[in-house]
Amino acid sequence: MNRSLLIVGLLLSVLLPVSAAFAADAIAPTTENTLPQFQIEHSFVHTLASPKLQRSYEIYIKLPPGYDKPENAQHRYPVVYLNDGPYTFQVASGETRVPFNHGTFEEFILVGISYAQGEAGDISRERDLTPMLDIRHKPYATGGARAYLGFLENEVMPLVEKTYRIDAHRRTLGGQSYGGLFGLWVMLNEPELFQNYILTSTSLWYNNRTMFEQEAAYARHHTELKANVYFAIGQMEHPAPCGRLKSECSDFDMVADQAAMVKQLHSHNYKNLQLHTKVISGAYHTTTFPSGLLWALQELFLTQREAVK
């Protein structure tokens, strides 16, 4: 009897810790480090080190669902390039998923460009997306748009367009806020590089509205501006009071600025310039981009248009 009890005791001493460990695993709370991360389907990330800028950026790619189908092996796709990639690429990926899957949109390739690696987003974008030095004397570099455009044109676009089947005659550039400012500046400096521009919440106030002067200078020497432009602004993008918090408002009347820029562009009667404008009802500077982007993408890529009854 004593020997039997001893054997049972020994077995329990071995089995109880093991069973307890399994029980602990079964009920242990799952931490974020053990959960799988969400992945955007059909997406890829390239790291691009720029020898000229001496900085590295991530290039986000999203391919449409039909890209790898055998029947599309020779097909080349329109491409939409987006600055402020950590934000804009995610928005665009979500907005295009259902329209792609249901054939509502013609398929195109999305490209997002990150901020410089190792830099805060606001510092990276204020340098890369501003065309001239900020007269407010920021404690970090500004006015780097010329160098950044060289990076985009000579490094990002060749990488993307050699790796993926891109139709180089159907390029779109999109940007929000400083990204819109950059897009407008690109349009006036290298108008043939992109065919379409999606410019939301464009920072036309920058440096005492200097882009109005730059557009006027362009008009003095050009009668043609080959571009298809979508301007979108939030209805609430004007000085306070415009919302519950001052952070929701702008220190400038960006709604009036957009209207003034469109009017000025129209006044020069450029050959081959197409202008489209929209004020997003109830939207703030921080919420305009999704609606403005979807409106422009629908105008550009909708496969079937139904008559409004």
Side-chain angles (χ1 to χ4, degrees):
M1 176 67 72
N2 290 340
R3 184 176 179 181
S4 298
L5 289 173
L6 178 62
I7 292 173
V8 171
L10 288 172
L11 287 171
L12 289 173
S13 69
V14 173
L15 293 174
L16 282 174
V18 174
S19 61
F22 276 111
D25 285 344
I27 64 174
T30 304
T31 66
E32 64 178 22
N33 292 330
T34 63
L35 289 171
Q37 293 188 350
F38 179 79
Q39 302 287 328
I40 294 177
E41 60 187 357
H42 311 300
S43 68
F44 308 90
V45 179
H46 299 261
T47 299
L48 183 55
S50 170
K52 290 189 177 181
L53 297 183
Q54 294 294 297
R55 298 187 291 272
S56 294
Y57 295 77
E58 288 185 334
I59 312 302
Y60 313 134
I61 308 292
K62 183 183 178 183
L63 302 178
Y67 186 87
D68 290 324
K69 291 181 178 179
E71 61 267 31
N72 294 328
Q74 302 303 316
H75 183 68
R76 293 190 171 273
Y77 292 82
V79 59
V80 177
Y81 289 91
L82 297 168
N83 293 302
D84 290 310
Y87 167 55
T88 58
F89 182 78
Q90 293 187 71
V91 172
S93 296
E95 289 189 336
T96 55
R97 186 179 190 276
V98 173
F100 278 166
N101 290 341
H102 287 263
T104 311
F105 278 179
E106 174 190 357
E107 292 191 342
F108 55 89
I109 294 172
L110 282 170
V111 179
I113 306 166
S114 79
Y115 306 120
Q117 291 187 317
E119 291 185 352
D122 56 348
I123 292 176
S124 179
R125 71 191 303 270
E126 286 203 42
R127 175 195 58 234
D128 292 342
L129 301 178
T130 53
M132 63 288 298
L133 292 175
D134 194 327
I135 59 176
R136 294 172 296 177
H137 304 294
K138 292 293 186 76
Y140 42 80
T142 56
R146 176 65 65 183
Y148 182 72
L149 177 59
F151 167 66
L152 177 60
E153 183 176 4
N154 300 317
E155 299 180 65
V156 176
M157 292 168 68
L159 168 67
V160 171
E161 299 185 11
K162 287 178 182 178
T163 308
Y164 303 98
R165 299 192 307 275
I166 299 292
D167 182 350
H169 299 289
R170 299 186 65 191
R171 298 180 184 136
T172 298
L173 177 63
Q176 159 74 11
S177 192
Y178 280 146
L181 176 73
F182 175 75
L184 180 61
W185 177 82
V186 171
M187 184 183 77
L188 295 173
N189 284 268
E190 290 201 38
E192 300 295 328
L193 192 58
F194 298 92
Q195 289 68 52
N196 308 300
Y197 295 84
I198 302 173
L199 311 179
T200 67
S201 299
T202 303
S203 298
L204 292 168
W205 52 264
Y206 188 76
N207 278 13
N208 292 333
R209 304 168 85 235
T210 187
M211 288 307 299
F212 287 88
E213 298 173 8
Q214 293 210 14
E215 191 281 330
Y218 179 91
R220 286 194 289 271
H221 302 284
H222 300 84
T223 59
E224 182 176 25
L225 182 51
K226 194 174 182 179
N228 184 29
V229 191
Y230 295 84
F231 281 105
I233 198 76
Q235 180 188 20
M236 310 308 288
E237 295 192 64
H238 55 72
C242 67
R244 293 169 298 172
L245 302 173
K246 190 179 188 303
S247 60
E248 293 176 331
C249 309
S250 168
D251 292 330
F252 308 95
D253 194 339
M254 297 179 67
V255 179
D257 279 350
Q258 175 175 288
M261 176 56 73
V262 170
K263 181 178 180 180
Q264 182 168 312
L265 286 164
H266 271 306
S267 73
H268 292 129
N269 296 313
Y270 292 115
K271 182 181 177 182
N272 292 321
L273 174 63
Q274 300 178 63
L275 291 173
H276 317 266
T277 64
K278 193 174 187 66
V279 177
I280 309 297
S281 178
Y284 300 94
H285 190 69
T286 52
T287 61
T288 295
F289 178 73
S291 295
L293 176 69
L294 185 58
W295 160 66
L297 292 180
Q298 185 164 293
E299 291 294 311
L300 286 167
F301 298 110
L302 195 66
T303 55
Q304 295 182 6
R305 297 182 183 274
E306 296 183 3
V308 178
K309 296 180 180 179

